[in-house]
Amino acid sequence: MLATQLKPLVENGSLDRNVVVRVTQFTSNTVQNRKILILLNLEVISPALPHRIGNPQNIESAKSSADASVETKAVPGATPHADVKPPAPAMAPSLGAQALSGSHGDSARVGSRGVAKSSSGMPVYPIDALSPYQNKWTIKARVTLKTDIRHWSNARGDGKLFSVNLLDESGEIRATAFNDAVDRFYPVLQENKVYFISKAKVTIAKKQFSTLPNEYEISLESGSEIEECAEAGDVPEVKYNFVSIDQLTTVEPNQTTDVITILDGYTDVSEILSKATQRPIKKRDLTLIDSSGMSVRMTLWGSQAENFEKTIAGEEKPVIAFKGVKVSDFGGRSLSMFSSSTMSINPDIPESHGLRGWYDNEGNSAHIRSYGATLDGTTASALNQGALRANEFRTLAQVKDESLGTSFERADYFNARAVVLYIRPNTLYYTACPGQDCNKKVIEESDGWRCEKCDRSYPAPVRRYIFSANIADYSGQIWISGFNEVGVALLGMTADELDSIRNENEGEFKAVLTRVIGRVMDFHCRAKQETFNDTNRVRYTVTQIQPLNFAKAGHELVDKIHALQLR
């Protein structure tokens, strides 16, 4: 069985039948009375041979394991492959003995090369090599996040838990302690310290509780062993995968990301009623900017919101690095922190120093655009004002021919230059909750408009676009959908303004829609497979829209013609 980190060798075709490899790191486990070797590291030392070497026998069916031996026999009539080099003599017996012997009762044996040892002498595994198939392992990892102790009560009884995020140079994993293990390990594990951890259980990750990109998580038990490590220089402090604010539209809503920003401002702490618990919860909004010239709203919750001013310790416009924050599509894009998210004030990393230099030299006086800002009198996502990348343009026929959006695992993005053919008038907008960060649909009642999410009534709703339109180019046509900011940019007015026109003059309402028909525009779209009425289909959602600049488009065509003439 291959460890996860070796998966690319299969995908790129390096591993195939009769390929010769040198195994440099492995573990041997017994699972359901079967011997399994988990390969942690190997080297491909030859391409596929024309024949299998020798006649190997299954060790599990051998009658006498004590007398079992492995012989390499030449294939009759075959000559040794010119590119195959035999392993070093000292390595072959060691590898065979560890892989095939069942002595010493050790269910986790590791190849002799490139493996560190803990103070107890146990081999240290990288985090990305852990799996539920391993019984004995030790990791050396830094605690990057430690949650508070949480209590629960249900039909099965009461309990408590806390979690930590663990990091080494290979990756990250979440570890959770329950009940008795909480009392034992909560005082021991401290943020930013490095520990040897062993005798714990590896299980499938519960993604609803963790933002880490790991298929597995660790369950700390009462018999687990944790030892602080004094030599921690080889363990990184944190790993980031930063996305700039202007690229947040490339992140799927409800997914997590890392950002590094300048704190431009923040609100006082406010309180809302949680729909899930029906209890009040504290919140605070931050305004963040970066060198892309964009700003975005970040929401903090609970103790993070209450303690924020203490966290920044009076710093004026500090650099803040956020890890594992949730991306929302409200107002174009916005961010919020989980309990498992982290923020670091003025971190000592190159990205932080670069951002500080940008702000001190030019950012403090730069014009900053925001999602949902007013631009030239029209409320729209600031991304609508940016240029779309020419190399990402597709004809609508290419979008279908390349099967964009047909994967359930991910969305595909593309740009299209097309003309608006039709806008559905009946489902153009909906009545939304006027509460901050809500936008849920409200229902009219005798005493006002009721929002189930906020659990309150409002005297009037706000209307938000949720439109469907048909667009076409010379190659074909598709149906697209869009939300409020794109609708405002398309029609040139808010949904409330359009609703007023509709109530006063139906003819003028139709004229507003007619003026859009026939306009050539550049669309940035997301294509994603979805299931509707038990039928799979691709949904095309517009995330960015821009009227065509005919002069610029003409110059681009001239450049293409010149390029063709030079061929």
Side-chain angles (χ1 to χ4, degrees):
M1 180 177 294
L2 290 182
T4 305
Q5 67 269 23
L6 299 182
K7 180 181 176 183
L9 294 178
V10 179
E11 294 175 337
N12 63 25
S14 297
L15 283 184
D16 202 351
R17 180 170 296 188
N18 294 334
V19 163
V20 178
V21 300
R22 177 183 288 114
V23 177
T24 57
Q25 190 177 341
F26 67 92
T27 177
S28 171
N29 273 355
T30 301
V31 179
Q32 296 181 349
N33 297 321
R34 294 188 61 195
K35 182 75 71 175
I36 294 179
L37 289 184
I38 302 173
L39 305 184
L40 304 177
N41 198 10
L42 59 81
E43 303 168 4
V44 177
I45 60 176
S46 90
L49 300 179
H51 304 285
R52 182 168 64 177
I53 298 177
N55 186 27
Q57 302 297 314
N58 188 343
I59 187 174
E60 293 175 339
S61 61
K63 297 201 182 235
S64 176
S65 60
D67 297 332
S69 62
V70 177
E71 294 183 1
T72 301
K73 300 179 181 180
V75 178
T79 57
H81 197 283
D83 295 332
V84 178
K85 296 179 181 179
M91 180 181 173
S94 171
L95 186 61
Q98 290 180 354
L100 302 177
S101 170
S103 59
H104 308 298
D106 188 358
S107 62
R109 301 177 180 84
V110 179
S112 59
R113 296 202 305 167
V115 181
K117 300 284 185 178
S118 66
S119 60
S120 62
M122 291 293 293
V124 175
Y125 287 80
I127 283 176
D128 68 356
L130 295 181
S131 78
Y133 299 100
Q134 295 161 267
N135 299 325
K136 293 185 179 180
W137 50 263
T138 299
I139 60 171
K140 179 183 178 181
R142 186 184 301 274
V143 176
T144 60
L145 173 72
K146 176 183 174 183
T147 69
D148 296 329
I149 297 176
R150 295 195 289 271
H151 298 263
W152 80 83
S153 179
N154 55 34
R156 293 180 292 179
D158 301 332
K160 56 186 176 181
L161 64 88
F162 83 97
S163 297
V164 292
N165 288 352
L166 302 172
L167 168 73
D168 70 7
E169 61 183 3
S170 73
E172 296 178 89
I173 194 168
R174 177 183 174 94
T176 303
F178 297 89
N179 300 326
D180 293 343
V182 173
D183 299 329
R184 182 179 175 191
F185 295 124
Y186 192 81
V188 174
L189 293 170
Q190 302 297 324
E191 286 189 4
N192 207 37
K193 290 188 176 181
V194 176
Y195 300 88
F196 289 113
I197 301 176
S198 60
K199 296 186 178 179
K201 185 178 181 181
V202 180
T203 61
I204 301 298
K206 300 177 179 65
K207 291 297 185 179
Q208 66 269 36
F209 301 123
S210 175
T211 61
L212 298 182
N214 199 317
E215 298 177 19
Y216 306 117
E217 61 185 29
I218 294 174
S219 178
L220 298 174
E221 302 170 329
S222 57
S224 299
E225 295 183 357
I226 298 179
E227 173 192 354
E228 186 174 350
C229 175
E231 298 179 1
D234 59 336
V235 182
E237 292 189 2
V238 67
K239 282 187 175 181
Y240 291 106
N241 185 20
F242 291 124
V243 172
S244 61
I245 294 176
D246 66 337
Q247 293 299 310
L248 288 176
T249 53
T250 65
V251 181
E252 283 285 294
N254 299 319
Q255 298 301 308
T256 60
T257 191
D258 306 337
V259 294
I260 185 164
T261 61
I262 296 285
L263 175 65
D264 195 46
Y266 57 91
T267 66
D268 293 332
V269 176
S270 59
E271 190 174 271
I272 64 172
L273 188 67
S274 169
K275 182 179 178 181
T277 63
Q278 294 300 307
R279 296 178 181 176
I281 183 173
K282 305 289 186 182
K283 64 168 288 190
R284 185 196 297 265
D285 288 332
L286 315 181
T287 300
L288 308 173
I289 64 175
D290 70 5
S291 56
S292 69
M294 293 283 296
S295 72
V296 69
R297 184 181 72 251
M298 170 80 75
T299 302
L300 310 184
W301 303 96
S303 59
Q304 292 173 334
E306 293 182 283
N307 299 329
F308 177 72
E309 291 180 313
K310 294 180 181 178
T311 302
I312 62 175
E315 286 275 351
E316 185 70 19
K317 307 291 184 180
V319 176
I320 308 181
F322 294 89
K323 183 171 181 61
V325 292
K326 178 183 176 182
V327 179
S328 169
D329 59 356
F330 289 145
R333 281 295 187 268
S334 59
L335 304 171
S336 61
M337 288 191 71
F338 290 106
S339 59
S340 59
S341 305
T342 63
M343 62 178 166
S344 177
I345 310 300
N346 295 322
D348 187 14
I349 56 177
E351 294 89 346
S352 176
H353 302 315
L355 189 58
R356 170 54 61 195
W358 166 81
Y359 183 79
D360 292 343
N361 290 316
E362 57 179 292
N364 52 16
S365 59
H367 174 65
I368 302 297
R369 300 168 296 152
S370 65
Y371 292 96
T374 298
L375 299 163
D376 299 326
T378 301
T379 304
S381 168
L383 287 184
N384 296 344
Q385 309 301 311
L388 301 183
R389 295 173 181 164
N391 62 346
E392 295 177 356
F393 273 87
R394 301 284 190 277
T395 67
L396 300 184
Q398 286 177 321
V399 170
K400 297 179 180 179
D401 292 342
E402 296 174 11
S403 300
L404 298 185
T406 56
S407 170
F408 279 105
E409 287 75 22
R410 61 179 177 84
D412 293 316
Y413 293 85
F414 65 91
N415 296 331
R417 181 164 294 166
V419 61
V420 180
L421 294 184
Y422 178 73
I423 300 174
R424 284 199 177 110
N426 296 330
T427 55
L428 195 52
Y429 48 80
Y430 71 101
T431 52
C433 174
Q436 188 177 10
D437 300 332
C438 182
N439 298 330
K440 292 293 184 181
K441 185 175 181 179
V442 293
I443 302 172
E444 187 174 14
E445 295 181 342
S446 58
D447 58 344
W449 296 80
R450 177 73 177 173
C451 176
E452 295 297 333
K453 179 181 179 182
C454 299
D455 194 24
R456 59 174 294 185
S457 295
Y458 297 91
V462 295
R463 288 162 182 84
R464 294 179 60 84
Y465 287 112
I466 180 170
F467 70 89
S468 178
N470 188 255
I471 62 173
D473 64 9
Y474 70 90
S475 68
Q477 58 181 305
I478 61 172
W479 283 94
I480 60 172
S481 60
F483 298 99
N484 195 59
E485 285 72 23
V486 176
V488 171
L490 179 65
L491 296 169
M493 63 183 67
T494 66
D496 278 326
E497 292 169 340
L498 184 61
D499 183 69
S500 297
I501 293 174
R502 188 174 198 170
N503 293 333
E504 294 175 4
N505 188 332
E506 183 71 21
E508 179 60 25
F509 166 75
K510 293 180 179 179
V512 171
L513 301 187
T514 302
R515 284 195 290 268
V516 180
I517 304 303
R519 292 182 63 187
V520 181
M521 310 189 79
D522 288 340
F523 299 87
H524 180 63
C525 301
R526 177 171 64 94
K528 184 72 170 64
Q529 182 100 290
E530 63 177 22
T531 301
F532 182 75
N533 289 339
D534 296 326
T535 302
N536 295 335
R537 68 178 185 182
V538 177
R539 181 183 179 91
Y540 302 105
T541 304
V542 181
T543 61
Q544 183 177 342
I545 191 172
Q546 184 176 348
L548 180 62
N549 183 330
F550 285 93
K552 182 179 178 182
H555 286 299
E556 290 174 353
L557 290 174
V558 170
D559 291 340
K560 290 181 179 179
I561 292 173
H562 287 164
L564 290 173
Q565 291 174 339
L566 294 174
R567 289 183 180 179

